[in-house]
């Protein structure tokens, strides 16, 4: 057993060493770090975007050769050919899908996280980093109104968070009874994210859908009806901020139904969980304190870079039972401490919560509240302008920062060509979706730099 040591050598005092095979990589590191710094500080290019695979192959040529092309050439290739063929997620006019708007503090610290190369699967090898990640998770736990015994870890995204939580829920149900004759089931609304169906498929369980009401919410009554007549349900999934419309299910009533039927409640807040930090919408989440598990993607609306999902359990005991991997080569792992590897479907992991932790530490939680409120204000101003306009119609009243709207008289083809034109010209990124079987346009606001007046101006091009 290695003796515990206290690190007492600052990074700038450690002599660097060349490597027998790679040689002295000093110049490479310097060039890459300089580039990273410039890249983090510069404004995103609104017209950057994908090219066809054939076009890209031609433009990029061959980079991987037996002898290596060197740092300068490889970096130039990335900067001039590869990076411009990716979409800037954090552009202030990017309102397509759910974009991202990481703080520069978080982006820069992501580079540090990479530089430190910490194995953050187990406490033994990642303690310091895991401690910091846990501090960020504790901020979320407090926003949820959960007890301090809650715990969790960061995984790559909402898809991994949801499946990990559902695996835990099934394991918890399996401790109190055998597999039902016709299999395990999950209850959710049609408006639940596609990753719930994908998790169900991977877990070989059935999805039973409960209808939403006229507001688009999954209700306690609907869940209750399904639970009363359906045996074998091990989890109900409620969404706090649906991806398509930003709606929050009736969490408190759903929690009542789950309690009555002793069923696990998982709340998917991958996008909308960030709203917990915003006093103006916090009341919409009432009941979330009763959920058994929860996820939020800080890479969506909490200003962290990809890839980052916070997965939390009100009581982590069931997660440990469900997820701890066991093998002789893992016998030495101490299981009495907080090992992120024991709480989700993963083993090796980077400390991907560190950029969020650092940015929270730098800016303070008040600024996070302000930033989320800012995006909510922007969406409300834009929604008001659409309500007041004579050429557009608001499809539904937004609850968070997703705005659905229509251009009366237009069909799918009109929307598609306007959307393509707006993207090519850098006017805005805004793609169509479906609502009640009709094609509509959708804007998702997660960037506090997005200006309502600029978006309203851009919407004039829909005349
Ligand atoms: C985006 C989203 C997911 C999936 O998250 P990824 O990070 O893309 O895997 C799951 N649920 C909801 C509600 C989402 O909005």
């Amino acid at each position: 057993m290695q003796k515990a040591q206290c690190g007492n050598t600052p990074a700038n005092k450690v002599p660097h060493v060349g490597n027998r095979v790679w040689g002295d990589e000093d110049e490479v590191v310097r060039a890459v770090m300089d580039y990273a710094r410039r890249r983090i500080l510069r404004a995103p290019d609104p017209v950057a975007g994908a090219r066809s695979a054939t076009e890209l192959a031609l433009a990029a040529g061959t980079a991987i050769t037996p002898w290596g092309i060197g740092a300068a050439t490889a970096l130039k290739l990335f900067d001039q050919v590869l990076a411009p063929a990716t979409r800037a997620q954090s552009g202030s006019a990017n309102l397509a899908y759910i974009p991202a708007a990481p703080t520069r503090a978080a982006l820069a610290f992501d580079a540090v996280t990479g530089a430190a190369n910490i194995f953050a699967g187990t406490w033994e090898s990642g303690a310091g980093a895991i401690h910091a990640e846990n501090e960020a998770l504790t901020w979320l736990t407090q926003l949820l109104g959960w007890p301090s015994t809650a715990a969790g870890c960061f995984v790559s995204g909402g898809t991994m968070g949801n499946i990990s939580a559902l695996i835990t829920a099934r394991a918890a149900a399996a401790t109190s009874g055998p597999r039902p004759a016709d299999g395990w089931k999950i209850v959710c609304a049609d408006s639940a994210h596609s990753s719930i169906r994908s998790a169900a498929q991977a877990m070989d369980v059935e999805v039973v859908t409960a209808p939403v009401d006229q507001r688009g919410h999954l209700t306690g009554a609907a869940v209750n009806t399904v639970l009363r007549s359906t045996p074998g349900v091990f989890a109900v999934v409620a969404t706090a901020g649906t991806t398509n419309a930003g709606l929050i299910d009736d969490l408190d009533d759903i929690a009542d139904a789950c309690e009555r039927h002793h069923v696990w409640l998982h709340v998917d807040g991958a996008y909308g969980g960030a709203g917990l930090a915003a006093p103006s919408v916090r009341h919409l989440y009432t009941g979330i304190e009763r959920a058994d598990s929860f996820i939020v993607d800080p890479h969506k609306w909490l200003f962290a870079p990809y890839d980052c999902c916070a997965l939390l359990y009100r009581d982590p005991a069931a997660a440990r039972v469900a997820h701890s991997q066991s093998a002789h080569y893992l016998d030495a792992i101490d299981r009495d401490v907080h090992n992120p590897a024991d709480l989700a479907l993963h083993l090796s992991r980077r400390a991907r919560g560190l950029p969020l932790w650092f940015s929270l530490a730098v800016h303070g939680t008040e600024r996070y509240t302000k930033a989320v409120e800012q995006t909510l204000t922007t969406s409300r101003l834009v929604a008001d302008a659409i309500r007041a306009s004579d050429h557009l119609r608001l499809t539904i009243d937004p609850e968070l920062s997703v705005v659905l709207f229509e251009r009366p008289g237009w069909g799918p083809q009109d929307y598609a060509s306007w959307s393509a034109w707006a993207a090519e010209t850098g006017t805005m990124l805004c793609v169509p979706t479906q609502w009640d079987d009709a094609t509509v346009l959708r804007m998702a606001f997660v960037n506090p730099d997005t200006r309502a007046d600029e978006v309203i101006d851009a919407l004039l091009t829909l005349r």
Side-chain angles (χ1 to χ4, degrees), residues 81-131:
V81 179
L82 305 176
T86 63
R87 173 175 288 179
Q89 288 300 316
S90 52
S92 61
N94 185 346
L95 310 175
Y97 307 101
I98 292 178
T103 65
R104 290 189 159 122
L107 279 175
F109 210 74
D110 200 47
V112 172
T113 304
N117 192 35
I118 294 156
F119 180 94
T122 60
W123 185 259
E124 177 193 0
S125 41
I130 297 164
H131 168 84

Side-chain angles (χ1 to χ4, degrees), residues 95 378 380-386 389 391-392 428 443 445 451-462:
L95 310 175
T378 305
R380 286 173 198 140
L381 289 170
V382 172
D384 286 346
I386 292 171
S389 85
H391 71 294
L392 299 174
M428 72 194 300
M443 297 183 284
F445 296 90
R451 294 180 47 124
D453 53 348
E454 289 176 5
V455 175
I456 294 164
D457 274 353
L459 295 181
L460 291 174
T461 62
L462 283 154

Side-chain angles (χ1 to χ4, degrees), residues 98 157-159 162 193 195 239 241 243 268 270-271 295 297 299-300:
I98 292 178
T159 300
N162 281 334
H193 189 264
S195 57
T239 310
T243 317
D268 180 355
Y271 148 70
I295 63 152
D297 275 354
H299 67 217
K300 281 181 173 165

Side-chain angles (χ1 to χ4, degrees), residues 49-314:
R51 302 167 69 178
S52 78
T54 325
E55 229 178 53
L56 256 180
L58 208 63
T62 303
I64 300 178
T65 63
W67 47 88
I69 60 174
T73 311
L75 260 183
K76 190 170 157 201
L77 178 62
F78 180 78
D79 184 49
Q80 298 184 2
V81 179
L82 305 176
T86 63
R87 173 175 288 179
Q89 288 300 316
S90 52
S92 61
N94 185 346
L95 310 175
Y97 307 101
I98 292 178
T103 65
R104 290 189 159 122
L107 279 175
F109 210 74
D110 200 47
V112 172
T113 304
N117 192 35
I118 294 156
F119 180 94
T122 60
W123 185 259
E124 177 193 0
S125 41
I130 297 164
H131 168 84
E133 288 188 303
N134 288 346
E135 194 181 357
L137 291 175
T138 299
W139 175 59
L140 294 170
T141 310
Q142 287 165 352
L143 292 176
L144 286 163
W146 282 11
S148 59
T149 44
C153 62
F154 288 94
V155 295
S156 60
T159 300
M160 284 308 295
N162 281 334
I163 194 170
S164 296
L166 290 170
I167 287 171
T168 298
R170 182 175 58 183
T175 59
S176 52
R179 182 178 185 277
D182 59 346
W184 291 112
K185 300 180 186 78
I186 294 168
V187 172
C188 67
D190 252 342
S191 53
H193 189 264
S194 50
S195 57
I196 302 299
R197 276 186 191 280
S198 146
Q201 200 169 21
M203 293 168 69
D204 192 22
V205 301
E206 194 187 324
V207 173
V208 180
T209 47
V212 295
D213 68 2
Q214 77 289 348
R215 300 164 305 156
H217 290 207
L218 179 62
T219 64
V223 169
N224 205 34
T225 305
V226 175
L227 290 182
R228 225 174 15 224
S229 59
T230 317
V233 175
F234 68 90
V236 170
V237 178
T239 310
T242 56
T243 317
N244 203 32
L247 304 177
I248 302 176
D249 290 334
D250 293 353
L251 302 179
D252 209 27
D253 295 346
I254 294 170
D256 281 341
C258 289
E259 208 169 88
R260 189 169 312 131
H261 297 273
H262 307 287
V263 173
W264 184 284
L265 173 57
H266 173 64
V267 175
D268 180 355
Y271 148 70
L276 288 167
S280 72
V281 291
R282 179 60 181 83
H283 61 281
L284 301 174
Y285 298 81
T286 300
I288 205 163
E289 68 283 356
R290 302 165 66 193
D292 296 290
S293 55
F294 166 79
I295 63 152
V296 59
D297 275 354
H299 67 217
K300 281 181 173 165
W301 195 12
L302 280 178
F303 322 111
Y306 299 112
D307 46 12
C308 187
C309 168
L311 161 65
L312 283 161
Y313 301 98
R314 194 148 45 84

